[in-house]
Amino acid sequence: ILPLISKSHHPRAVEAATKYFLTQAAASTLLLFSSMTNAWYTGQWDITQLTHPLSCLILTSAIAMKLGLAPFHFWFPEVLQGSPLTTGLLLSTAMKLPPLALLLMTSHSLNPNLLTCMAILSAALGGWMGLNQTQIRKILAFSSISHLGWMIIIISYDPKLTLLNFYLYALMTTTVFLVLNTNKTLKLSTLMTTWTKNPPLNAMLLLTLLSLAGLPPLTGFLPKWLIIQELTKQSMAPTAMVISLLSLLGLYFYLRLAYCATITLPPHTTNHMKQWHIHKPTNTSIAILTVASTMLLPMSPMLSSI
């Protein structure tokens, strides 16, 4: 991934690649250190049988750093901001899978209270820090941190729900990144003028952003609904209420993106250059991903019965 981040040779891209390398190297070192600590105390090298509390704590920190979970999230928005949109897509989806798989393997031995605190902190900071951003890649980075909070809060109780949330998040984020890449949009100010380029694509971007926010009856509501239901079953109704309220912060900046993309232009004094209308047909993959990002919730009872 490092050559992909730094291929433009822009100083910002090189800086992002350096930050990514140093963070991931530090996290990998901590990972090795946690297994070594466990072996020192218990004589057991198997990472799925961590029993010593110190090694569990170090492992949690290492995986949180690799994923970009709060309070180890500071590198992620900076790296995403310095990367092209396609590389940002890989960083937000595919590069999260290995550390998440590691977390799924070791989740039974980690402290659930610590994971819950980190999850709520991620949902809070992801929503709060995304409010005042004008760069779309940074907004999507904070959105990713917020979604990670929802994934981590349930991992000790129902790991399958974490995987479902990750798959649906990856699906919706891929759609958003591909649409933005088609429109060549990086900032809110350029997003305001893209409605003339491809109106149907922008309308689907609106629905996908609302789906990412978790509004019913769209796909993004499905994992949130199931996670809240499972947390309530585990007698964690106050936790479910807190993380649900924190998702409203994310809803605000998704609505801001949707407002700029499709609904109307805000009042301004400067004249914006209108974009040329694109007459070439939309990519088939974007069409399929958009339908999946908006229609999976009504289809979920049918899919579960199959």
Side-chain angles (χ1 to χ4, degrees):
I1 197 80
L2 289 171
L4 287 175
I5 298 172
S6 58
K7 69 179 178 181
S8 66
H9 300 296
H10 191 275
R12 195 89 173 79
V14 175
E15 180 194 338
T18 311
K19 282 178 179 173
Y20 185 76
F21 170 72
L22 291 174
T23 313
Q24 296 298 322
S28 300
T29 312
L30 277 175
L31 206 63
L32 286 169
F33 183 58
S34 73
S35 61
M36 200 168 70
T37 311
N38 196 58
W40 177 268
Y41 281 110
T42 63
Q44 176 61 260
W45 277 101
D46 191 350
I47 202 168
T48 57
Q49 295 182 24
L50 290 176
T51 49
H52 197 269
L54 180 62
S55 57
C56 289
L57 182 66
I58 296 169
L59 182 79
T60 309
S61 305
I63 294 176
M65 200 182 288
K66 276 191 170 295
L67 280 170
L69 258 179
F72 305 101
H73 65 285
F74 294 102
W75 63 273
F76 188 57
E78 300 298 322
V79 170
L80 211 63
Q81 178 59 28
S83 312
L85 280 169
T86 43
T87 312
L89 170 59
L90 281 176
L91 284 170
S92 300
T93 54
M95 301 311 292
K96 299 270 195 221
L97 198 52
L100 198 66
L102 206 55
L103 192 60
L104 283 164
M105 283 166 58
T106 54
S107 60
H108 59 275
S109 57
L110 301 180
N111 185 347
N113 294 330
L114 177 64
L115 288 175
T116 304
C117 289
M118 288 174 84
I120 287 176
L121 191 62
S122 294
L125 285 175
W128 200 261
M129 294 174 79
L131 290 179
N132 208 24
Q133 299 295 333
T134 56
Q135 298 287 336
I136 293 174
R137 283 169 294 183
K138 275 199 174 180
I139 291 176
L140 290 171
F142 288 119
S143 146
S144 177
I145 293 164
S146 179
H147 276 272
L148 275 171
W150 281 89
M151 292 175 215
I152 301 306
I153 202 164
I154 203 68
I155 198 163
S156 303
Y157 310 104
D158 195 344
K160 286 182 180 175
L161 271 185
T162 298
L163 270 181
L164 173 72
N165 196 342
F166 176 75
Y167 292 147
L168 293 180
Y169 162 74
L171 174 78
M172 293 180 287
T173 305
T174 305
T175 312
V176 171
F177 268 102
L178 288 178
V179 171
L180 293 173
N181 194 44
T182 305
N183 287 339
K184 301 288 181 285
T185 311
L186 297 174
K187 293 184 291 187
L188 283 180
S189 56
T190 50
L191 187 64
M192 288 173 197
T193 56
T194 52
W195 59 272
T196 51
K197 267 188 173 182
N198 198 332
L201 196 60
N202 265 25
M204 295 320 290
L205 178 62
L206 163 74
L207 289 176
T208 312
L209 287 167
L210 294 180
S211 184
L212 258 179
L215 287 185
L218 303 166
T219 303
F221 180 61
L222 177 62
K224 284 186 168 60
W225 180 16
L226 294 173
I227 287 169
I228 290 169
Q229 192 177 347
E230 185 61 33
L231 286 173
T232 313
K233 283 180 189 171
Q234 300 289 342
S235 305
M236 292 173 70
T239 312
M241 187 179 74
V242 168
I243 201 164
S244 304
L245 287 172
L246 288 172
S247 69
L248 291 175
L249 292 168
L251 174 63
Y252 174 79
F253 61 72
Y254 287 124
L255 281 175
R256 189 160 157 242
L257 275 174
Y259 183 87
C260 289
T262 54
I263 299 170
T264 180
L265 284 174
H268 55 79
T269 52
T270 55
N271 290 324
H272 282 293
M273 183 74 76
K274 295 291 183 287
Q275 308 279 345
W276 283 100
H277 197 102
I278 299 174
H279 288 291
K280 64 178 182 182
T282 304
N283 197 334
T284 314
S285 58
I286 296 180
I288 295 166
L289 285 167
T290 307
V291 171
S293 298
T294 50
M295 300 292 181
L296 279 186
L297 177 64
M299 289 163 60
S300 56
M302 183 182 74
L303 294 172
S304 60
S305 64
I306 292 170

